[in-house]
Amino acid sequence: MPQINTSFNELTTSDQDMLTEIAVLYYQEGSTQDEISKKFAVSRVKVGRLLRKAREEGIVEINVRYHPVYSAQLERRLMDKFKLKRALIALDHSDEEEQRKQVATLVSGFLANNLTENSTVAVGKGRNVAAVADHAGIVIKRNARFVCALGGTHRSGDSTNADHICRRLAKKFGGTSETLYAPAYVDNPKIRETFFEHSVVADTLNQAKIAEFALVGIGDMNESSHMVQLGWFTPKEFTEARLEQGVVGDIGGFDFFKLNGENANSTLSSRVIGLGTEDLKRIPNVIAIATEDRKVLAMLGALRTGSIDVLATSASCAMALLSMED
């Protein structure tokens, strides 16, 4: 029999096979520990230790899958607690990219069921929003219009630009895309105001403001966030905004808020060319997406702004939100 205090890689092939066989018998074939102990002529206690060893070494992975009824109850609790129209809850997945895809699947389905001919969708930036455009689901083509709610960049994050996402959404759902011909972030408020005064920029933003839907991500103030990686803000600026101004996150990349949902009036916001939280409040169906566990605090602040109508996230994030709010 394998020694339980030995690393799996250090065991002989025959001992590895035996450990795997015990795990298969118990977890897949439903054999009891008593049956296994008799089969291998070892004590029941030893079987329990070997099964624990199988879990520790990764031979066995235990995943809790929520019953559909439980997921529906979780969605209802979120809707009641935060006055949402809908909550889209995906099963938890240990891989961040896979988790993002699962949430994107739900959002893609929601849009497929709710977009109508000539619908207008204001689109933000980010990996979670981009995943909706890239999800290869079957949808009914609509003559929809996807309008950038934020400027863009020519740096390495092009695939997560609002403009690139709009183009892919238009191709997927049918219809057209509208580019916001401005950078997402500028160096100071004066430059920002100059862009806002430009008729082309103003016209695009006005189209976004009267959209029936908005598709946006929720960002946190982590120094390694996507916005910092792209060079739009420095780690120091994020740290100071968090510690000195109480900023916990942003919606869509274009407005920053505190934990209580109040606008942070941060120097960060004064450099963004895009919609604001007040603009989102006037859009009937704002779909906010966040899949990362580290963003729960930012999600809570975002929900408290009162600008979100549909939240798309994971089951663990949903439970954490309910716990924190309670």
Side-chain angles (χ1 to χ4, degrees):
M1 289 298 296
Q3 299 298 310
I4 62 171
N5 60 348
T6 303
S7 171
F8 182 72
N9 291 329
E10 296 174 358
L11 298 174
T12 65
T13 301
S14 61
D15 285 343
Q16 291 179 4
D17 290 344
M18 185 178 291
L19 192 58
T20 302
E21 185 180 355
I22 289 172
V24 170
L25 285 170
Y26 185 75
Y27 288 105
Q28 290 191 350
E29 298 185 7
S31 297
T32 67
Q33 292 189 22
D34 284 333
E35 291 170 340
I36 295 172
S37 69
K38 291 175 183 177
K39 178 180 176 67
F40 290 94
V42 296
S43 70
R44 189 178 181 281
V45 172
K46 185 99 175 193
V47 172
R49 290 174 181 170
L50 291 170
L51 289 170
R52 184 169 67 248
K53 179 70 173 177
R55 294 195 298 271
E56 292 171 351
E57 295 298 339
I59 297 173
V60 175
E61 292 185 356
I62 299 176
N63 295 310
V64 177
R65 291 200 172 272
Y66 302 108
H67 190 278
V69 172
Y70 177 81
S71 296
Q73 291 173 346
L74 195 57
E75 291 177 0
R76 174 54 57 186
R77 289 176 62 198
L78 273 179
M79 291 164 63
D80 292 342
K81 179 67 69 174
F82 296 104
K83 305 298 186 274
L84 298 170
K85 292 181 180 179
R86 277 294 308 273
L88 306 173
I89 310 299
L91 299 177
D92 291 334
H93 199 286
S94 58
D95 182 77
E96 186 174 287
E97 192 58 37
E98 185 60 33
Q99 183 74 82
R100 187 173 291 118
K101 290 178 181 177
Q102 290 190 12
V103 174
T105 300
L106 297 179
V107 176
S108 179
F110 178 84
L111 287 173
N113 290 330
N114 288 277
L115 286 182
T116 59
E117 291 294 324
N118 301 313
S119 289
T120 299
V121 184
V123 180
K125 67 163 191 65
R127 287 170 288 191
N128 287 317
V129 179
V132 178
D134 296 334
H135 173 64
I138 299 175
V139 299
I140 298 174
K141 297 293 184 180
R142 305 289 187 186
N143 186 28
R145 185 178 188 136
F146 298 90
V147 182
C148 291
L150 181 74
T153 177
H154 289 294
R155 302 197 183 193
S156 60
D158 276 355
S159 64
T160 65
N161 267 346
D163 178 51
H164 288 254
I165 296 171
C166 277
R167 293 173 189 271
R168 301 201 300 277
L169 285 170
K171 182 178 180 180
K172 175 179 178 176
F173 288 98
T176 60
S177 65
E178 180 76 19
T179 300
L180 178 58
Y181 290 101
Y185 300 89
V186 292
D187 292 333
N188 61 68
K190 289 185 179 179
I191 297 177
R192 177 175 180 260
E193 289 304 317
T194 299
F195 272 104
F196 275 139
E197 291 170 0
H198 196 286
S199 60
V200 174
V201 173
D203 181 62
T204 302
L205 287 176
N206 285 335
Q207 292 179 51
K209 290 176 182 178
I210 59 173
E212 292 86 11
F213 297 86
L215 188 61
V216 297
I218 298 175
D220 62 357
M221 300 305 293
N222 190 300
E223 290 83 355
S224 61
S225 78
H226 198 51
M227 286 191 285
V228 172
Q229 291 177 12
L230 291 174
W232 295 340
F233 298 111
T234 66
K236 181 181 178 182
E237 287 175 322
F238 259 39
T239 300
E240 290 176 347
R242 186 179 69 245
L243 298 179
E244 298 176 10
Q245 299 173 304
V247 180
V248 297
D250 71 89
I251 299 180
F254 36 70
D255 217 347
F256 294 81
F257 50 81
K258 301 178 183 179
L259 183 58
N260 62 4
E262 291 181 359
N263 189 295
N265 292 319
S266 168
T267 54
L268 303 178
S269 299
S270 64
R271 291 160 49 191
V272 180
I273 299 177
L275 299 186
T277 303
E278 293 304 313
D279 296 319
L280 289 181
K281 289 179 181 178
R282 289 188 282 269
I283 295 176
N285 302 286
V286 176
I287 308 162
I289 314 170
T291 62
E292 302 86 349
D293 290 340
R294 71 171 191 273
K295 291 184 177 180
V296 171
L297 197 66
M299 292 165 62
L300 183 59
L303 287 167
R304 289 172 173 171
T305 66
S307 61
I308 296 174
D309 302 291
V310 179
L311 177 68
T313 189
S314 67
S316 60
C317 286
M319 288 187 289
L321 285 167
L322 289 167
S323 177
M324 291 172 69
E325 185 69 359
D326 288 338

